[in-house]
Each structure stands twice: as C-alpha cells, then as structure tokens.
Amino acid sequence: MNAISSSAAAEPRLTSLSHGGGCGCKIAPGVLSEILKGTARMPLPPELLVGIETADDAAVYKLNDEQALIATTDFFMPIVDDPYDFGRIAATNAISDVYAMGGKPIMALALVGMPISVLSTRTIGRILEGGESVCKAAGIPIAGGHTIDSVEPIYGLVALGLVHPDRVKRNADARAGDLLVLGKPLGVGVLSAALKKEQLDAAGYERMIATTTRLNTPGPELAALEGVHALTDVTGFGLAGHALELARGAGLSVRIDWNTVPLLEGVHALATAGFVTGASGRNWAGYSADVALPTNFGDADHALLTDPQTSGGLLVSCTPAAVDKVLEVFRRHGFGQAAVIGEAQPGGTGARLTVA
C-alpha cells in the first residue's frame, strides 16, 4: 500500500504534533456528561430558542419575528498532514453546525493556536488559506478571530448564521414513525487512523478529503420541507452517539438498519485490519449501556458504528411521506450516497438505540 504523506521535509508531519485528530479530539461522551452535570444553570431568556439542554449543534437566539441568530464554534487538531487540506476540513466542519440547524451561514471568526517554534509561517498561512477557501465557497467572510502560541496545532471557526425562527431544526424534535436519512457515508475516523500510520493510499486520501470538505449545503432546504422534524450532523461521537442524542432529546428510541448505512469505499477492510481511532472505544464506553447490537455484529462494524466523523453528514428525521423529497434535495446538492438508515420509534424501557 502506497502511503500518503504531504508534510514538508523540514517540518514534522502535522498529525505527529497532535494526540488526536479532527473530531476524534472530542472529550469522550461519558466524561463530558460527568463534567457538565455539575455546572450551574443560569436563567435562560425566552429569546434563546436552542441552548445546551439537548447537546444540539449550535445555539439559536431569536432576534425578531423573521430572524434568529445561529452561533457555534468548532476547532480541533490536525487530521491530515497537508496544511491547506487541514484548514479546509476544519472550516467545513465548523460551518456544518449552522446548516444542521437549518440556517444559512453569514460570517465566521478564525480560532488559531499554533506551535510557532515548530511550524513555519508558510505552513500556518496555508492552514488559514484552506479555511478561507471554504468560507469563500460558503459565501461568507472571515471577519476576525483570535490567535495563540500553542503546544499543539489547533484551527477552527466561530460560525454565525441566520434562520427563520419557525424553521429552526433541533436534534430533539424527531417523532415516532419518522424515518432517518444520513447524508454522508461513514468511515472518516478509520481513514484518519490509516493515514496517521502511513497506510492510506492516494485514492483513500482523495475520498477522505472529498467527504470532509463537502459543505452540508442541503440544510436550509431540508429545514423548509414539510415533514422534516429534526436535523443534526454526525461528528465526533459517531453515528451511534448522535443517533442517541436525537433519541434522548425526543424521548424516543431509534432503530438503525446497519446494512443500509452508507460507508466510504475501503473503510470496512481498513477497520478489519485494525485501523481504528482511540475515540471509537471511548465513544462506546460512554454510551454502550443504551445500545443493543445483534449477536453477529462484527468488530469492524462495531468500530464504524462508533467511528468519529470529522465534518460528517446530516442526519434527518422526517415523515415517510417526505423521504423522497429529502433524498432529492441531497442528490441535487451532490450527496449521491444519502440513504434511509432507520426509524424513530416510541420510547420504551430498554435501549435507546437498537442496531438491526
């Protein structure tokens, strides 16, 4: 297998400078829950339409009867070695949270932490250029930001957007009987694990970049469709973790039909060969008590179910009658692998997520 490594000879590989890459850097769900449970909750203004109560993708604040402001931030350490690609992936991932609320991005602020004594100004500049290229594609400016000298390279954005208050799509509004549609295939974490061990070929790298730099532009159109009840994006907690957030927020259970879940080409073989991120295991430890798996569920499938997705796809909960329109919107925006992967069901006393 021909390995991909695009770092300059005079500098260390970007991925060698980080203990975890992309959304795999997230604090494990179980640890995060433990941290947050002791935090004080302030009184919330009625204008705050979405806060932290359901671990949604962004905060939403109503400005007037026609506009609500979406505010989110996302940043992480390198998932690839090419600085321009790193910037593109990080920016795409941050902007995704605006789309996941059903909104249109309007501007961004850059968050930059770099080891100045290790990386050249040219390399750092290329990271920022990558982020700027994605913001240009999204039609928004980078209007400012903040920089620090950091031990590990960190890049991301504060992303702001607008949405009509009636079209805000929370992750907690799924309804029993809804079908679930996933916009992008899984496997980014597996590809990143192979890349870090220099075992990812050129075709695999191209697939990784193509999916992680594809903006989730269907979001606003999906939010406007009758019958679409909930939206979220699948990122660091994996498909299982974000499906569980959707289920818990709505007081429902979710069934995933694993054989319908789209996967990036080659990732099942890589997962079988052991290219799995540490975040996958931490994810499982955090929410395994709420997941029921079939007895024949293999190790590779298990790894992909919990695989942290950097700049992952939108997960849509909609009525069966709206499914064809949802898929049509995805395909019109270039998301050809979008697929129905399961169903929201009435809540019970057992597992919140069942994989069939």
Side-chain angles (χ1 to χ4, degrees):
M1 184 178 289
N2 295 322
I4 291 294
S5 177
S6 49
S7 55
E11 295 183 30
R13 298 174 63 202
L14 285 179
T15 53
S16 73
L17 299 176
S18 60
H19 72 277
C23 284
C25 298
K26 279 189 174 183
I27 294 175
V31 177
L32 182 60
S33 177
E34 185 69 20
I35 291 170
L36 293 179
K37 75 177 185 180
T39 57
R41 301 296 170 90
M42 297 175 59
L44 301 178
E47 294 84 3
L48 187 64
L49 303 181
V50 182
I52 65 172
E53 57 278 353
T54 61
D56 218 322
D57 300 295
V60 183
Y61 189 93
K62 184 177 180 179
L63 301 175
N64 52 54
D65 290 342
E66 301 294 323
Q67 294 177 311
L69 177 69
I70 301 170
T72 183
T73 185
D74 218 314
F75 53 88
F76 47 64
M77 291 163 283
I79 189 173
V80 295
D81 293 311
D82 183 279
Y84 187 78
D85 286 343
F86 170 40
R88 293 168 67 202
I89 294 168
T92 306
N93 180 73
I95 296 170
S96 179
D97 286 340
V98 174
Y99 293 128
M101 302 306 301
K104 178 180 178 181
I106 55 172
M107 71 172 183
L109 307 174
L111 301 172
V112 185
M114 294 291 154
I116 302 301
S117 62
V118 177
L119 296 178
S120 68
T121 55
R122 171 170 172 72
T123 294
I124 297 170
R126 287 292 287 168
I127 294 171
L128 271 60
E129 288 171 14
E132 289 168 357
S133 73
V134 166
C135 289
K136 182 177 180 181
I140 63 172
I142 295 181
H146 186 64
T147 62
I148 62 168
D149 187 355
S150 172
V151 175
E152 294 180 282
I154 298 169
Y155 179 70
L157 300 176
V158 173
L160 302 175
L162 291 175
V163 64
H164 192 286
D166 295 340
R167 289 186 176 176
V168 175
K169 295 301 174 183
R170 304 193 310 156
N171 67 352
D173 291 334
R175 300 180 188 177
D178 279 358
L179 298 181
L180 303 181
V181 181
L182 180 63
K184 288 185 183 182
L186 303 180
V188 173
V190 168
L191 294 178
S192 70
L195 176 67
K196 195 159 188 176
K197 295 180 180 178
E198 300 188 357
Q199 295 298 310
L200 185 65
D201 62 19
Y205 185 78
E206 288 180 7
R207 286 191 287 272
M208 179 180 177
I209 297 304
T211 191
T212 54
T213 60
R214 183 179 294 280
L215 288 161
N216 279 321
T217 52
E221 281 192 61
L222 293 171
L225 289 178
E226 184 178 356
V228 170
H229 296 141
L231 275 175
T232 190
D233 59 353
V234 177
T235 54
F237 298 153
L239 175 60
H242 293 284
L244 275 170
E245 287 180 342
L246 184 148
R248 289 168 180 155
L252 301 172
S253 295
V254 164
R255 188 195 77 248
I256 290 177
D257 300 316
W258 185 246
N259 64 342
T260 66
V261 175
L263 302 177
L264 288 163
E265 183 181 343
V267 297
H268 197 277
L270 286 170
T272 300
F275 295 105
V276 178
T277 69
S280 179
R282 293 192 296 273
N283 282 343
W284 181 245
Y287 50 62
S288 59
D290 288 332
V291 183
L293 300 178
T295 55
N296 61 344
F297 206 60
D299 291 343
D301 295 318
H302 191 284
L304 288 162
L305 177 67
T306 58
D307 191 49
Q309 301 306 290
T310 300
S311 190
L314 295 175
L315 182 62
V316 185
S317 180
C318 66
T319 63
V323 162
D324 287 344
K325 290 182 180 179
V326 167
L327 291 172
E328 192 277 327
V329 169
F330 271 123
R331 286 164 187 160
R332 184 155 36 81
H333 283 257
F335 293 77
Q337 288 186 267
V340 178
I341 65 163
E343 182 182 14
Q345 301 175 328
T349 57
R352 285 289 189 192
L353 171 62
T354 300
V355 180

